[in-house]
Every structure is written in structure tokens, then in C-alpha cells.
Amino acid sequence: MVGYTPEYLFLLQTILRSDPQGAVNFALMISQMEGGCPVDYNTITDLFLQVLEINLVTFPNVADAVLANRMFSHYNRPHIAQLCEKADPGNAPLVIGQLLDDECPEDFIKGLILSVRSLLPVEPLVEKCEKRNRLLLLTQFLEHLVSEGSQDVHVHDALESSRVMDYINRLDNFDGPAVGEVAVEAKLYGEAFAIFKKFNLNVQAVKVLLDSIRSTDQAVEFAFHVKEDAVWSVIWASEDANVYNDLVRYLLMVRQKSKEPKVDSELIYSYAKIDRLGDIEEFILMPNVANLQNIGDQLFDEALYEAAKIIYGFISNWAKMTCTLVMLKQFHSAVDAARKANSSNTWKEVCFACVDAEEFRLAQICGCNIIVQVDDLEEVSDYYQNRGRFNELISLVESGLGLERAHMGIFTGLGVLYARYCPQKLMEHIKLFSTRLNIPKLIRACDEQQHWKELTYLYIQYDEFDNAATTIMNHSPEAWDHMQFKDIAVKVANVELYYKAVHFYLQEHPDLINDILHVLSLRVDHTRVVSIMRKAGHLRLVKPYMLAVQGNNVAAVNEAMNEIYVEEDYDRLRKSLDLHDNFDQIGLAQKVEKHELLEMRRVAAYIYKRAGRWKQSIALSTKDNQYKDAMETCSQSGEHEFSEELLAYFIEQGKKECFASCLFVCYDLIRPEVVLELAWMNNMVDFAFPYLLQFIREYTSKVDEFVKDKFVSLSEVKAKETEEKDMVAQQALFPALGNNMYAQLLPLALPAPPMPGMGGSGMGGGFAPHPPMAGMAMLPMPPSGMPPMGTY
């Protein structure tokens, strides 16, 4: 359409290379074009004849089929005939090579070579013989060519090579390894093989056969001959698949002659290398002497797993069968095989492989058979965790709780997993299985993951109450529970924790501090507790606690309570002073003696009186017009000076009634002459008269008692004198009797009758008081010799 003229000859050449039939069709098309054929017919014919020539040289059988089918009718017949003549002897090297492989007699081969020597191509023939280490067969042929004047390099090289072989066979004293390497570099492969073989360098020799000569059959034959594993290893390492096809044919031929374990084993291995699995199954079912275990292991090591599976299944090696199935990723079958093997290592291998393949249901089946072994549980756990499969691991271990062989490690391990990945289940797990846990291990896990409430519970279960209390106080927002802490507090061994608990409650739960102190009251030092509260400025906060322990009469507690009562209630203060005397009395008295309340100042006077500071007490009482208090203090002091000074004070102040009352309150201490003097001088005899009457009555009673005592004493003396006189008279009446006989005749002495006014025994009895003197009325006496006080 655009006026373009294609290069028909170029197109025909191109099509001819890839599609001969298409080229024929294209040639017919252009030969029938309007205006005549654009390409000369002779040129087209030459192109197709070139194809025939190529086939004659390269693929004679193709050319033979072309000629036999009479595909060409017009061609240069003499030229084609010459080509055909060259192509039939060109195949002689192949024929000779096959004859050598079939172990044809050398004489026959030599005769064949000589019969067609003029037409034989030298280079391929030398290559075939050199490959098979048979260059000596060509010696006569090569010498004939040289004698005819041949200058072919291949002829001369081959003839030198044949002489080298002669030297190798005849000489012994040379460096075999070095010469062998030189021979390989010179491409004298047959000679190199002969050298290595002569010096027992069998690995190097078989490498020459495989890599240079490329004869698998010779390599296998050589391996059977030397019987070295290293030689076989070289053969197996060959990457040429044809090696094993040739090897199979060779081994089958050898097996027909003899039955050897090595042959049968190598045959199975060769089948596996070329994936002839059906042949393996058929072979092992027949009688054989192969070492199936070893060959199975070899196949497994070289990743020929399908073949190895056949072998292991046949010999019932379930452990290796399991491993093989794992490598084939046939996990269901692997689990079944592992169940038959029933080995911990086998279960682990399948389990781990299933985890990697995310076959978690199968992994759990395997895992349940592993975790019942204490030593394997940790390994399984680490494997899951390292791969981030936390939920699947928890599910596995949870399923292990119900196993018959469940042990402490499973319960503890699940607790650790809960602590790390599922803390909401941790406390319930601990409470349910506290007796089946390795508590120290779970304690470490809870501490690492900062589960303080659970950690506290574990410490309690493990009787580590000190750590439990410390944990609660250090992490109270999560761990503190008042009732629980009270139970723990009474069981701690470290007393310092008691005071730490006091500080803790003071700071965080002051409303409950009295409750915790009540629990600790038998264990804490009350002085130290009061000191803590005093420093914190919260003495009133622990008033209930101090009231409860004040019965112990601890100075610090008493003083703290007194401080509170000073500010609150003087009645309670006074009662406290009467019940609890262990405190700084003078300090308290000094503190309240200037108090604005009268009753507080009276308390100060009372304290001074208790402390024996009579003068201060009396002065404080008189200052506040508390005359009764002053009188009682004087009476209790036992000192007449204080009483007499108080009388003088009353006279000075004109307190006549107080003067009269003081005479009776301080009756035992006041000297009568002082009373008479003060009353006479201050015109207060009327107020002193009752005291004087009482004094006179008491004085006369004492005189009467004295007279009575004197009379009794004189009567006793007189009676004693009369008794002595009677004894002297009796001795005069019985002079002949000895003292001893006289003593025996005397009657037993009887106790004397009691004297008037004496008690029933001894002289210690009191006298009966004389009746009051006539005309003198006896004034009633108050208890303790102190007359009753009237109001004043």
C-alpha cells in the first residue's frame, strides 16, 4: 500500500532456519506472484540444498530421510554424493566408543580402525579413546598416519600421549600428585587417571573420570573396585543427572552377577537422585541386602525426603519418619508418626514446625505430649514466646492443666504467662492453684511485671509477711486492702515495719490509723508511736489508741493524754493523774499553774502536793483562796511548820472560821501552846476552844492509860516476888532430896491466867481503855485522829 518492496530472499532465509515447511509454503507463494517470482529460482533451490548439506554433515539420518522420500528431484548429484561419503565414516568414532563401552575385544576394534583408517576423523576418534583411557588402541593407526606424512596436530598429540602412558606404567619414582595435575592441565586425562590410580589417589582419579573423561560407568566401576566412601561421595556430588541414569544401568547389571549391600544401597540412592520413587518402592519389597537405615539417613541428609519417607516407613523408623514428614510439610501425617515414635525430641520437632507453619491446633496436640516433661516445658515456652505466639502458648499450657501427668511446672508456667501477657487471669489462677505453684518463681515474675496485688497474695501464701507488708506500703494504690493489711501486720518479724506502717497510715489513711494501732498495740513501743504522732502534729488523731493503752502507765502516753486534757477537760485530767502517775509531774504543774481556769490551777496545786512540794502547793491554793486544799496539803505534809504558818496566814487575813477548821484538819501537827498563843494574842480563843477541849480530853485519856499500865506492872512485880518466896520455903522443907528428885516431884507448870487488860498471848496485847472520867464528856473523834470539818 505504501510502495514498499520486501527483501524476499532475506525473509526466505530467516523462515528456513526456524520453520522449513513454512519456508516451502513461502517459496510457493512468491513463485506464483503476479509479475513473476521476485527471487531467482536457482537461488531458492540453493537455499534448500544448503539445508540438505548441513543435515548430511551434522544429522545424517535426517538427510537420509530427505533423500529416501525423494523430496528433491533437481540437485548437484556428484556434490551430494561426496558429502554422503564423508558422513558415513564420520560416525565411526561413535561406533568405536560404543564398542569400547560394551567391552568388545581390542583386536576387533583395532581391525575396524585399520579397515577405514583413510576415512576416519582423527580428532573425535582420539577424544573417544582418550575419554575411556584406551589411547593405546590407536597407536598403530596413528603411527601409520605419521608414516604417510600426516601433519595433523591431533595425530602427533595423541601419539605423544600413548608414549606417556607407557612411561607411567614402567616408571615408579616420580611425584605422582604433581605429574597427575600436569597431565590434567595438558588434557592427558587418561594418563592423569592412570597416575592418580597408581598412587592410590582415588578421589582425584574418580574426579578425572567424572569431570574430564566424563564416564560415569568407569567412575562407578572404579568406586566399586576401591570401596571408599570418599570416592562414592564424589560420584554422588556430581550435578549431572545422567550420571545417575548411567549408574542405575550399571548397578542393575552388577546386581545380576552378585548381591552386595553396597550395590543395593547405591541403587536405591541412584533411584532417589533421579526421582524414580516407584522403583524404590518396588525394589525394597523384593529381596535385597541394602542397608536401608543408612541409605534412608543419607537420603534425608541430602534433602531427598520423598525417597527417605519410603525407606523410613518400610523399616518403621517413626522418629526419622516424623522428621521427614515435617520437612515435607505433611504435618497431619507427622503428628501420627510422632505418636507412634512417642519420643520427646520427636514431639518437639513436629510442634515447632507446626508453630512455624501456623498449624496451631496440631502444635497444641504435640505440645501436650511435651509439657508433661518438666525439662522440656521451658524450651517449648521459649520457642512460642520468641515468635510472638503468646495466646497460642497460653492456650497450650491451659490445656495441660487437665492432663493426668500435669506437674507444678505447668501451673507455675501458666502463672508466669498470665503475669506477662494476660494479667486479668492471674489472681484467679493463683487463688485456685496456690498449693501447686512454685511460688518463688511466680513471685519473681509478678515483681518483674509489677502485679503488686498478686505479689502480695503470693507473699502471704509463702509466709513472707514482711515482704507482703512492704509491697503493700510501697505500692498501695494497687495492693492496699485494710483488712488484709491488718492480718499481715501482726505476723511480720521486722519490728521496724510496725513504725513504717504507722507512717504509711498517717500519710495515706489517717482515718484508720487507730484501727491499725489497736492491732499493733501489743507489739509496738508506745513511746515511739507517740513521738511519731507528736512530730507529725497529730496527737489528737490517735487519742482512742492512747486511751486504750494508757493502762500500761507509759510516761509518753500519759503526758500526751495530759496535754490533750489540759486543753479539753480538767475532770478527765484529774482522773488521769489519779490513775496514771508515770509522767513529768513538775513539768505539767508548771504548765498549768498559771492557767486561766481555776480548776486547772487547782490541778497544779494537787500535782505539787503529790510530788511533795508542799510549800508550792499551799501557796498556789491560798493564792486562789482554795483554803480547804491548803489545809489538806498541810495535813498530808506531816510538817507542823506548814500548818502553823497557815494558821498565821488565816489570822492575818481575818479568816477566823478557816482558823478553827485548820485546827481540826491539821490536828495532829499543830502544837497546842502555839494555838493558845495565837488565839490569846489575836482574840480568837472562842474559835480555838473546841480544839483545846479535844486536846485536853485526849491528854487525860493518855494519862489514864499510863496509870493503868503502871498499876498492872506493879501487880506483876509483886506476884513474882511472892512466888520466889514460896519456892525458897519449899526447899527448906525437903532438904534430903536432891534437886533432881525435887524437880521430878513438882507438878507440871500450868500457864498463868491472863492479867486484866492483857490479850490472850504474850505482852503485846493492848489495854482496855478506861471509862471516861466523871463529869467529862468525850468528843467524837474523826477517823485517823482528825476531827470532822465543818463548812468554811
Side-chain angles (χ1 to χ4, degrees):
M1 293 177 64
V2 298
Y4 174 75
T5 302
E7 291 288 341
Y8 291 104
L9 181 61
F10 174 76
L11 292 174
L12 182 60
Q13 290 174 334
T14 303
I15 296 172
L16 186 60
R17 293 191 191 100
S18 59
D19 185 8
Q21 184 60 46
V24 172
N25 295 335
F26 185 70
L28 290 174
M29 182 189 72
I30 62 175
S31 66
Q32 297 173 3
M33 290 178 63
E34 294 182 1
C37 180
V39 180
D40 183 63
Y41 287 111
N42 292 326
T43 304
I44 295 175
T45 302
D46 290 339
L47 283 177
F48 284 98
L49 286 177
Q50 288 176 11
V51 175
L52 177 60
E53 292 176 3
I54 292 171
N55 285 322
L56 281 173
V57 175
T58 308
F59 304 105
N61 55 338
V62 176
D64 181 61
V66 171
L67 294 175
N69 292 329
R70 299 182 180 274
M71 297 178 67
F72 295 108
S73 57
H74 298 81
Y75 55 90
N76 188 341
R77 284 179 170 78
H79 178 66
I80 295 300
Q82 290 178 356
L83 292 177
C84 290
E85 186 178 15
K86 291 181 180 179
D88 294 342
N91 292 326
L94 296 175
V95 175
I96 293 171
Q98 186 62 46
L99 291 175
L100 290 173
D101 292 340
D102 294 339
E103 299 184 358
C104 183
E106 292 186 1
D107 293 340
F108 176 81
I109 296 174
K110 289 180 180 179
L112 178 62
I113 292 174
L114 292 176
S115 65
V116 292
R117 62 179 179 272
S118 60
L119 300 175
L120 281 176
V122 176
E123 183 178 359
L125 182 61
V126 170
E127 181 182 352
K128 294 294 183 182
C129 292
E130 185 178 25
K131 182 178 180 181
R132 291 162 175 79
N133 195 25
R134 297 291 185 86
L135 277 178
L136 290 176
L137 289 175
L138 300 180
T139 302
Q140 187 176 359
F141 167 66
L142 295 174
E143 290 178 345
H144 174 74
L145 293 178
V146 171
S147 64
E148 290 183 348
S150 174
Q151 300 298 319
D152 192 336
V153 175
H154 299 93
V155 173
H156 289 274
D157 288 345
L159 187 62
E160 287 166 10
S161 298
S162 61
R163 292 173 180 171
V164 170
M165 185 64 73
D166 183 54
Y167 296 147
I168 294 170
N169 293 331
R170 289 191 292 108
L171 301 177
D172 295 322
N173 191 15
F174 62 92
D175 187 350
V179 176
E181 295 298 334
V182 171
V184 171
E185 292 176 2
K187 298 184 180 180
L188 300 176
Y189 303 126
E191 288 75 6
F193 171 74
I195 292 170
F196 290 136
K197 180 179 179 181
K198 183 172 184 175
F199 284 87
N200 293 322
L201 300 173
N202 297 324
V203 172
Q204 290 89 328
V206 78
K207 285 183 178 179
V208 171
L209 292 176
L210 290 172
D211 300 338
S212 301
I213 299 177
R214 299 183 178 279
S215 174
T216 305
D217 292 346
Q218 290 187 60
V220 173
E221 181 181 4
F222 178 70
F224 275 106
H225 176 71
V226 299
K227 298 180 180 180
E228 290 185 8
D229 291 338
V231 174
W232 282 109
S233 298
V234 172
I235 296 175
W236 293 331
S238 175
E239 297 180 356
D240 187 358
N242 292 325
V243 169
Y244 296 99
N245 287 313
D246 296 339
L247 185 57
V248 167
R249 288 195 298 270
Y250 178 79
L251 292 172
L252 288 173
M253 180 185 67
V254 172
R255 195 170 184 274
Q256 292 176 356
K257 298 179 182 179
S258 64
K259 298 292 191 297
E260 296 183 12
K262 189 70 175 178
V263 173
D264 286 3
S265 299
E266 295 305 327
L267 181 57
I268 293 174
Y269 179 79
S270 299
Y271 279 145
K273 290 294 286 187
I274 54 179
D275 203 27
R276 292 172 61 176
L277 303 180
D279 291 334
I280 295 177
E281 293 177 344
E282 182 180 350
F283 179 79
I284 61 177
L285 291 174
M286 296 188 301
N288 66 84
V289 292
N291 190 331
L292 294 179
Q293 180 63 56
N294 290 346
I295 194 64
D297 293 343
Q298 182 180 356
L299 295 174
F300 182 86
D301 294 339
E302 296 189 18
L304 299 172
Y305 300 121
E306 289 289 353
K309 181 177 78 170
I310 296 172
I311 301 298
Y312 290 137
F314 183 77
I315 63 176
S316 300
N317 188 337
W318 300 115
K320 295 295 291 189
M321 181 68 164
T322 302
C323 300
T324 305
L325 292 170
V326 166
M327 301 308 296
L328 291 171
K329 300 189 181 305
Q330 298 175 8
F331 299 114
H332 285 82
S333 299
V335 171
D336 294 336
R339 189 174 288 110
K340 295 177 182 178
N342 197 24
S343 163
S344 177
N345 290 334
T346 303
W347 281 119
K348 280 191 285 188
E349 183 168 355
V350 181
C351 177
F352 296 161
C354 289
V355 171
D356 294 338
E358 298 186 0
E359 293 282 350
F360 297 113
R361 186 183 65 83
L362 296 176
Q364 183 169 319
I365 295 173
C366 300
C368 287
N369 290 276
I370 303 170
I371 62 177
V372 292
Q373 302 293 334
V374 179
D375 297 335
D376 296 327
L377 173 60
E378 198 72 25
E379 182 179 355
V380 173
S381 179
D382 290 342
Y383 196 89
Y384 273 83
Q385 292 181 74
N386 291 339
R387 286 153 183 79
R389 301 300 182 180
F390 311 124
N391 294 332
E392 291 79 7
L393 176 59
I394 289 175
S395 177
L396 166 60
V397 183
E398 285 177 341
S399 66
L401 296 181
L403 296 176
E404 183 178 353
R405 297 168 60 192
H407 50 82
M408 181 178 288
I410 293 178
F411 293 91
T412 305
L414 182 58
V416 172
L417 294 175
Y418 282 155
R420 292 176 180 171
Y421 312 116
C422 193
Q424 64 272 18
K425 293 185 177 181
L426 178 58
M427 180 59 84
E428 181 183 3
H429 178 74
I430 293 173
K431 290 181 177 179
L432 287 175
F433 304 109
S434 60
T435 59
R436 305 194 67 176
L437 297 173
N438 182 342
I439 293 182
K441 183 175 181 179
L442 194 51
I443 282 175
R444 291 192 293 272
C446 290
D447 191 21
E448 291 173 359
Q449 302 300 321
Q450 301 181 355
H451 300 309
W452 309 122
K453 195 173 187 67
E454 292 80 1
L455 179 61
T456 300
Y457 186 86
L458 288 171
Y459 278 135
I460 295 172
Q461 295 300 310
Y462 205 53
D463 292 340
E464 291 193 6
F465 301 106
D466 290 27
N467 287 333
T470 302
T471 301
I472 290 176
M473 290 185 285
N474 290 342
H475 308 284
S476 58
E478 181 179 345
W480 178 77
D481 178 84
H482 180 57
M483 299 305 295
Q484 182 187 58
F485 189 82
K486 287 201 303 181
D487 293 339
I488 295 171
V490 296
K491 300 175 183 177
V492 299
N494 184 358
V495 296
E496 289 301 317
L497 290 177
Y498 299 150
Y499 308 107
K500 185 176 180 181
V502 173
H503 284 289
F504 168 72
Y505 268 82
L506 182 61
Q507 294 173 3
E508 299 194 14
H509 306 285
D511 55 321
L512 297 173
I513 192 169
N514 285 288
D515 195 17
I516 193 66
L517 284 172
H518 176 71
V519 171
L520 299 175
S521 60
L522 298 179
R523 293 169 175 81
V524 296
D525 179 358
H526 303 306
T527 301
R528 185 170 177 181
V529 173
V530 170
S531 175
I532 292 172
M533 303 309 297
R534 189 185 298 278
K535 290 179 180 178
H538 293 292
L539 269 180
R540 290 180 179 275
L541 188 63
V542 293
K543 180 180 176 182
Y545 154 73
M546 292 192 292
L547 278 173
V549 301
Q550 198 173 9
N552 298 323
N553 202 20
V554 177
V557 176
N558 294 338
E559 291 171 0
M561 289 303 301
N562 291 339
E563 288 182 26
I564 295 174
Y565 290 145
V566 165
E567 298 177 4
E568 292 182 353
D569 190 343
Y570 57 83
D571 284 337
R572 292 184 179 180
L573 175 60
R574 186 142 189 164
K575 291 178 182 178
S576 176
L577 298 180
D578 290 337
L579 294 174
H580 314 292
D581 59 356
N582 186 14
F583 62 93
D584 182 7
Q585 299 189 18
I586 304 303
L588 179 60
Q590 291 174 345
K591 181 176 181 180
V592 299
E593 67 178 344
K594 295 181 180 180
H595 200 281
E596 60 183 2
L597 294 179
L598 171 62
E599 291 299 327
M600 286 297 178
R601 297 197 296 272
R602 288 188 67 196
V603 170
Y606 177 70
I607 296 173
Y608 281 133
K609 179 176 66 173
R610 288 173 50 128
R613 297 201 175 187
W614 314 107
K615 190 170 184 179
Q616 289 174 279
S617 177
I618 295 168
L620 191 57
S621 297
T622 55
K623 181 180 179 181
D624 287 330
N625 299 326
Q626 299 299 308
Y627 302 126
K628 181 180 178 181
D629 294 347
M631 295 177 200
E632 291 176 352
T633 303
C634 289
S635 176
Q636 294 177 21
S637 69
E639 299 290 339
H640 62 82
E641 291 87 354
F642 296 136
S643 302
E644 293 169 355
E645 288 177 0
L646 183 59
L647 289 175
Y649 172 80
F650 287 145
I651 292 172
E652 181 182 345
Q653 297 295 322
K655 303 292 185 180
K656 297 179 180 180
E657 293 81 1
C658 293
F659 175 83
S661 297
C662 184
L663 292 176
F664 283 94
V665 174
C666 302
Y667 180 83
D668 294 333
L669 301 177
I670 298 175
R671 293 176 293 180
E673 65 273 19
V674 174
V675 175
L676 286 173
E677 180 182 358
L678 291 174
W680 177 260
M681 292 180 65
N682 293 285
N683 196 25
M684 296 180 68
V685 174
D686 292 344
F687 290 93
F689 195 73
Y691 163 78
L692 294 174
L693 289 176
Q694 180 66 28
F695 176 76
I696 293 170
R697 177 67 185 90
E698 183 179 357
Y699 183 79
T700 55
S701 296
K702 290 181 180 180
V703 171
D704 292 342
E705 290 293 332
F706 176 75
V707 171
K708 184 177 181 181
D709 291 342
K710 188 65 174 177
F711 173 77
V712 172
S713 177
L714 291 175
S715 298
E716 290 178 352
V717 172
K718 186 176 181 180
K720 187 174 182 181
E721 290 176 352
T722 303
E723 183 179 357
E724 290 177 354
K725 290 178 180 180
D726 291 341
M727 290 180 65
V728 172
Q730 288 178 1
Q731 289 178 357
L733 291 176
F734 303 99
L737 296 176
N739 293 333
N740 291 336
M741 182 177 292
Y742 175 72
Q744 294 176 0
L745 293 176
L746 288 176
L748 294 174
L750 296 175
M755 296 297 292
M758 296 181 61
S761 62
M763 301 296 293
F767 296 98
H770 282 238
M773 297 175 63
M776 293 188 65
M778 195 68 155
L779 292 176
M781 295 292 289
S784 303
M786 184 174 70
M789 294 178 58
T791 57
Y792 53 92

